[in-house]
Amino acid sequence: MSRRVFKFRLYVAGDAQNSVDAIANLTTICRKYLPGLYDIEVMDVFLEPARALTDGIFMTPTLVKLAPAPVRRIIGNLSRTSLVLQALGLEGSAA
Amino acid sequence: MKNPTKAPTGIAGLDEMTDGGLPRGRTTLLVGGAGSGKTILALQFLVHGAQACKEPGIFVSFEETPKRIVANAAGFGWKLGELQRKRLFFLDAQPLPDSIQAGNFDLSGMLAVLEAKSGKLQARRIVFDALDIVLALLPDAAAIRREMYRLHSWLLAHELTGLITLKSDASAVSQPFGFMQFMVDCAVILNHSVVLGVSQRNMRVQKYRGSGFHENESPFLIGKNGFDVAGARTVGRVGAKAVNERVSTGVKRLDTMLGGGYYRASSVLITGFAGTAKTTLSGAFAEAACRRGERTVFISFDSDANEVIRNLASVGIRLDRYVRNGCLRMVSAGSIVGSAETYLVGIKAMVKEHRARCLVIDPVSALSKAGNELTAHGVAERLIDWSKAGGTTLVCTRLLDETSGQFEGNSSLQVSTLADTWIHLNYLVQAGERNRGLSIIKSRGTAHSNQVRELVLSSAGVTLADAYTAGGEVLMGALRWQKENAERHANEITEVAGKHKRVMLDAEAAELEVRIKSLQVELLAKQVEMTLLTRSAESRKGELSHGRSRMRELRGADPALRGRK
């Protein structure tokens, strides 16, 4: 079974608690369920507000799964792992 | 009304209520039910800032796309397209429907975007429209509270004048709503209700830290140019100066009764039962105004404008020519529908558009018809204040209900206490006749006649008849005619008697003159006789002596003897 590489972009708001938590949670999930098959780009909206505007990011943190298709948006600090896995189409791997 | 601590909204009534506008650099909460006009008010606040105060603004929309908001507001003539290029920015912050929520989040992202945008735009005002939408996504009350504080402190830090709108009936808001009211510096509540089928909108300033404000609910309308708030009373009053100029009532003898006519810019109330010639009297006023060349608006609630013109023409009041030359604008009030407030706004707009100096409302009681009982009085009050402030002379009629008696005691519309002049028309039944009686119940600042006069309508015009009293009652109609006739009759008799006397005296004088003449002739004759007598005596004497000397001569007597006798 060929494993696809997951491309993520995580929009964070500086070192706000939710953002810090989101980075940690995402890393944990990826390490566990997508070892070696993930690519995370962290974007700080405070540093690149224009980008956040064009991407329509108003609630932080927001995780965007760019690949594989379809593109998915997940809002929040990703503390609810089962919801995240479901959104990423990884629920089967949870076991 | 410039106040550095206030950000004017451009909505006259609201600026009046808040004594200058929303708190500058602070946050205001705008709460109202669905369709209460929150978005329009918020947008108008930004538009006014961008257009008139050089304060660019940002509109953050959580519920509608900016495109739709702009389209909805297109009718107000705010030139949003032009403003959007430089001074107005719409941020579409609607939560995406397909996004999944997994855990806590916050609004930092939005604030980061806004921070960048407001810096670039030099924004001074910002609106968060329908914030409840995003608040509803937050997991609990604590999170809502946290995000509200985040937003509030961000606004304060950037000294932006913020306006947050919330739906009052949104369940997500009901609980934190209370705490939000404590957080913000100003809270405005919009209320939309339907009373007996008539839509009534009200606005109330609930709190305003550090400033006085009018606490009462104030009716408003969403009109042609956006919000139109009735505003507090008193304010319009200041600066309205009392005028001594008089304007004709259109009935000469009524002018005399009032000591010269109505005061300019005063309000006149004409009350009476149906058919007592209220419309006629107000029509006479309108005609007189037009004759002076003063632009006039005549609003008829009861009948069609053309009918009014026709009916008034039958009593010699010709309004058609003034309608034709544009001096007079006749309005059938069927063209205005809705609450009393709507009427007021409509009337104001028409008077302004026509640049009218005189205004007739026939009858003003139409304001208080079903569904408007509670608001009509306030509307009438403001109508009078407004016309006074604008120097418009207002004549309104009011129909009295024959069954409920003479006074409008139980009615909500007590214009009579507000009006400067109150003319009452009624029927007086006397000797089997019904005649129109006119009396001036009050006229502020005028010495006025206290007599009940008969109002006489004829094809030649409207006038007041002379007053005849008999046994303490004013005579009218046929009785008056009788009295008038009797008086005329008596006059004739005296006149004839006088003439007769004169003729007699003339005859006597003539007779005397004749006698004088004949006596004079007689006298002359006597005088002639007398002279004749003297002359004949002398001549006889001369003859005698002459005769004697001749005789002597004849006798040849001695002349020396001539000396002796």
Side-chain angles (χ1 to χ4, degrees):
Chain A
M1 180 177 163
S2 72
R3 303 295 298 266
R4 300 152 300 176
V5 173
F6 276 73
K7 286 198 68 165
F8 295 111
R9 188 181 292 148
L10 182 62
Y11 295 86
V12 296
D15 51 4
Q17 191 55 52
N18 284 330
S19 298
V20 173
D21 292 348
I23 296 173
N25 288 336
L26 181 62
T27 316
T28 313
I29 291 168
C30 287
R31 279 193 187 140
K32 188 165 176 193
Y33 300 100
L34 301 163
L37 292 169
Y38 63 94
D39 177 16
I40 302 171
E41 178 194 3
V42 175
M43 188 164 286
D44 188 342
V45 293
F46 285 122
L47 301 176
E48 292 186 69
R51 183 70 187 273
L53 177 60
T54 34
D55 293 352
I57 303 302
F58 305 114
M59 286 167 264
T60 47
T62 296
L63 174 69
V64 180
K65 180 197 75 169
L66 300 164
V71 175
R72 279 253 181 273
R73 272 173 186 250
I74 305 167
I75 293 162
N77 62 9
L78 311 177
S79 57
R80 299 177 68 182
T81 313
S82 60
L83 271 175
V84 178
L85 293 176
Q86 197 183 341
L88 295 178
L90 295 171
E91 28 313 47
S93 339
Chain B
M1 216 194 265
K2 279 263 188 263
N3 186 335
T5 64
K6 305 280 170 96
T9 61
I11 301 163
L14 179 58
D15 286 348
E16 254 173 46
M17 285 166 79
T18 54
D19 198 21
L22 304 182
R24 187 181 293 281
R26 307 288 188 92
T27 309
T28 298
L29 195 61
L30 179 63
V31 183
S36 60
K38 301 181 296 295
T39 304
I40 294 168
L41 189 148
L43 189 55
Q44 193 166 359
F45 166 69
L46 284 190
V47 167
H48 182 75
Q51 275 178 340
C53 312
K54 292 188 177 139
E55 293 185 7
I58 297 176
F59 192 100
V60 184
S61 163
F62 294 104
E63 198 169 31
E64 288 177 285
T65 64
K67 224 176 173 174
R68 256 183 70 190
I69 292 171
V70 171
N72 291 346
F76 297 127
W78 289 340
K79 298 179 188 147
L80 286 174
E82 196 181 296
L83 283 174
Q84 251 174 291
R85 246 169 274 143
K86 283 177 87 176
R87 296 199 172 149
L88 202 53
F89 176 73
F90 284 91
L91 180 69
D92 184 355
Q94 295 180 88
L96 293 169
D98 61 348
S99 55
I100 295 144
Q101 197 191 326
N104 272 337
F105 70 96
D106 52 63
L107 297 174
S108 310
M110 181 181 72
L111 296 183
V113 168
L114 288 175
E115 177 131 15
K117 204 69 208 175
S118 73
K120 225 169 108 191
L121 204 68
Q122 302 262 296
R124 301 306 323 139
R125 297 182 176 197
I126 190 159
V127 165
F128 294 94
D129 190 34
L131 190 66
D132 50 277
I133 295 280
V134 72
L135 294 183
L137 295 176
L138 290 164
D140 50 43
I144 290 177
R145 194 175 280 236
R146 194 188 62 224
E147 289 316 303
M148 282 303 297
Y149 274 119
R150 189 194 304 279
L151 184 62
H152 187 229
S153 52
W154 180 82
L155 285 168
L156 284 180
H158 293 78
E159 293 182 342
L160 284 161
T161 309
L163 183 62
I164 297 172
T165 79
L166 290 176
K167 277 192 281 298
S168 55
D169 39 12
S171 57
V173 179
S174 55
Q175 201 259 333
F177 177 57
F179 108 85
M180 263 152 62
Q181 276 176 322
F182 285 109
M183 188 182 77
V184 297
D185 287 295
C186 176
V188 178
I189 295 171
L190 301 182
N191 190 0
H192 187 193
S193 58
V194 174
V195 181
L196 288 171
V198 178
S199 153
Q200 308 276 9
R201 293 175 186 273
N202 283 293
M203 174 187 288
R204 183 165 71 92
V205 178
Q206 190 201 35
K207 72 176 262 188
Y208 200 134
R209 270 188 201 136
S211 167
F213 61 96
H214 295 277
E215 299 181 39
N216 294 337
E217 259 195 349
S218 205
F220 74 89
L221 269 189
I222 297 172
K224 250 195 258 177
N225 301 310
F227 263 62
D228 199 322
V229 182
R233 255 197 115 189
T234 58
V235 184
R237 276 251 157 118
V238 182
K241 48 181 189 290
V243 195
N244 281 321
E245 193 191 337
R246 302 284 194 142
V247 288
S248 172
T249 61
V251 179
K252 225 176 196 164
R253 304 185 81 162
L254 182 56
D255 286 349
T256 315
M257 274 178 90
L258 284 164
Y262 307 133
Y263 274 118
R264 164 140 353 257
S266 69
S267 47
V268 180
L269 175 70
I270 302 170
T271 56
F273 301 122
T276 44
K278 298 182 298 296
T279 305
T280 310
L281 211 54
S282 53
F285 166 75
E287 192 197 26
C290 289
R291 208 180 294 128
R292 292 192 302 271
E294 289 173 15
R295 301 177 69 83
T296 301
V297 170
F298 191 113
I299 298 170
S300 169
F301 282 101
D302 279 350
S303 41
D304 183 69
N306 291 325
E307 279 173 26
V308 173
I309 292 173
R310 182 200 64 200
N311 297 347
L312 289 180
S314 72
V315 286
I317 298 170
R318 300 282 310 281
L319 295 177
D320 47 345
R321 52 190 157 179
Y322 299 116
V323 173
R324 269 200 300 277
N325 75 12
C327 195
L328 178 66
R329 180 156 174 205
M330 299 288 296
V331 182
S332 313
S335 49
I336 324 172
V337 265
S339 63
E341 209 55 48
T342 324
Y343 283 123
L344 180 63
V345 169
I347 290 167
K348 277 181 176 177
M350 263 184 280
V351 169
K352 210 168 161 188
E353 199 180 292
H354 194 63
R355 301 194 311 280
R357 294 198 74 190
C358 298
L359 171 64
V360 175
I361 300 176
D362 178 41
V364 76
S365 12
L367 292 177
S368 63
K369 66 184 181 193
N372 285 319
E373 282 92 348
L374 293 172
T375 55
H377 186 67
V379 167
E381 249 177 18
R382 276 180 282 115
L383 175 68
I384 286 170
D385 275 353
W386 170 82
S387 64
K388 194 158 283 183
T392 314
T393 313
L394 170 71
V395 170
C396 42
T397 68
R398 176 163 164 68
L399 178 70
L400 295 185
D401 189 357
E402 215 138 348
T403 52
S404 74
Q406 198 153 323
F407 291 100
E408 34 183 348
N410 55 354
S411 163
S412 61
L413 187 73
Q414 294 174 14
V415 190
S416 51
T417 55
L418 305 168
D420 295 309
T421 301
W422 179 7
I423 293 173
H424 183 61
L425 298 170
N426 60 345
Y427 286 122
L428 297 182
V429 180
Q430 211 172 35
E433 280 183 17
R434 206 170 247 272
N435 291 299
R436 295 185 177 94
L438 178 149
S439 52
I440 300 169
I441 296 187
K442 75 165 181 184
S443 189
R444 285 184 189 141
T446 324
H448 55 270
S449 168
N450 59 357
Q451 206 160 24
V452 177
R453 302 281 291 269
E454 184 184 352
L455 188 67
V456 183
L457 308 182
S458 71
S459 58
V462 183
T463 190
L464 298 174
D466 281 322
Y468 288 99
T469 52
E473 260 197 280
V474 175
L475 299 181
M476 300 210 164
L479 283 179
R480 168 178 55 81
W481 183 82
Q482 261 178 5
K483 180 83 180 175
E484 273 176 348
N485 237 16
E487 203 146 284
R488 197 163 38 233
H489 199 68
N491 269 345
E492 264 166 31
I493 288 171
T494 356
E495 206 170 302
V496 166
K499 267 188 191 155
H500 181 72
K501 184 93 184 167
R502 174 166 307 202
V503 169
M504 297 283 283
L505 284 173
D506 275 354
E508 269 174 47
E511 202 183 305
L512 282 173
E513 259 167 47
V514 167
R515 275 169 66 187
I516 288 170
K517 268 232 170 91
S518 78
L519 283 171
Q520 270 174 342
V521 169
E522 215 172 309
L523 183 66
L524 202 67
K526 296 269 182 212
Q527 279 169 344
V528 168
E529 205 179 339
M530 213 138 77
T531 20
L532 272 176
L533 204 65
T534 328
R535 210 184 300 157
S536 73
E538 266 173 18
S539 81
R540 209 169 45 236
K541 207 167 150 191
E543 204 108 315
L544 214 58
S545 72
H546 185 70
R548 239 184 243 141
S549 21
R550 181 75 187 138
M551 222 184 291
R552 228 179 261 139
E553 270 172 30
L554 286 174
R555 281 174 191 162
D558 194 4
L561 288 173
R562 207 182 285 178
R564 291 186 301 177
K565 292 238 173 120

